[in-house]
Amino acid sequence: MSEDWVGCRVSLDCGGLGFFQGVICRINLGEQTVTIEKPFQNGLACKFPEITLNASDIQDLKILKSREELKTESSGPSGSSVVQLVRKKPKQPVAEHLKYGAGGSTTTGTKDTKTGKVQ
């Protein structure tokens, strides 16, 4: 019966250890362990290809996708689940916009030291 869950994508709440997600690849009833492959811990990919967790550490287990759902997903059009971060340029402070104008260019000319106006 434990083999029925092998191949399912799961989310595991392990309390102080955090949240884990991955695909169940082994269940050891004797040792009371679950091994997941392609694991994520707290939303970040783990360094290791597999992680084994003790049943006593698991507070909640949710089946995210069944083995059949994962099979149809992999046979469909291939898509990447890798997210690429794009850094934005730092915004210019409002004072800089007022000083240089919306385009960011400086005005040309000479400044009258008495009036402060650009000629």
Side-chain angles (χ1 to χ4, degrees):
M1 174 147 167
S2 65
E3 296 301 312
D4 294 343
W5 307 112
V6 172
C8 293
R9 179 169 288 138
V10 294
S11 175
L12 305 166
D13 177 357
C14 295
L17 295 176
F19 288 85
F20 291 87
Q21 285 187 4
V23 178
I24 295 176
C25 61
R26 277 188 304 284
I27 298 174
N28 187 321
L29 294 176
E31 294 181 11
Q32 296 285 296
T33 59
V34 174
T35 303
I36 58 173
E37 60 187 1
K38 302 175 189 169
F40 283 76
Q41 181 180 15
N42 298 325
L44 300 173
C46 296
K47 295 187 254 184
F48 307 104
E50 294 181 347
I51 289 184
T52 301
L53 299 163
N54 289 316
S56 61
D57 292 328
I58 300 171
Q59 295 179 359
D60 189 29
L61 181 147
K62 293 180 183 171
I63 306 290
L64 301 177
K65 292 199 176 182
S66 68
R67 185 180 347 180
E68 291 77 24
E69 290 174 314
L70 289 175
K71 282 182 185 177
T72 58
E73 193 177 89
S74 64
S75 65
S78 64
S80 176
S81 62
V82 176
V83 176
Q84 183 177 9
L85 296 175
V86 178
R87 296 195 182 265
K88 293 182 179 180
K89 291 191 288 185
K91 290 187 176 183
Q92 214 175 18
V94 174
E96 293 296 317
H97 280 287
L98 296 174
K99 182 177 176 183
Y100 297 116
S105 62
T106 59
T107 54
T108 58
T110 58
K111 186 174 182 181
D112 186 342
T113 56
K114 291 182 183 176
T115 62
K117 292 183 181 181
V118 177
Q119 298 176 348

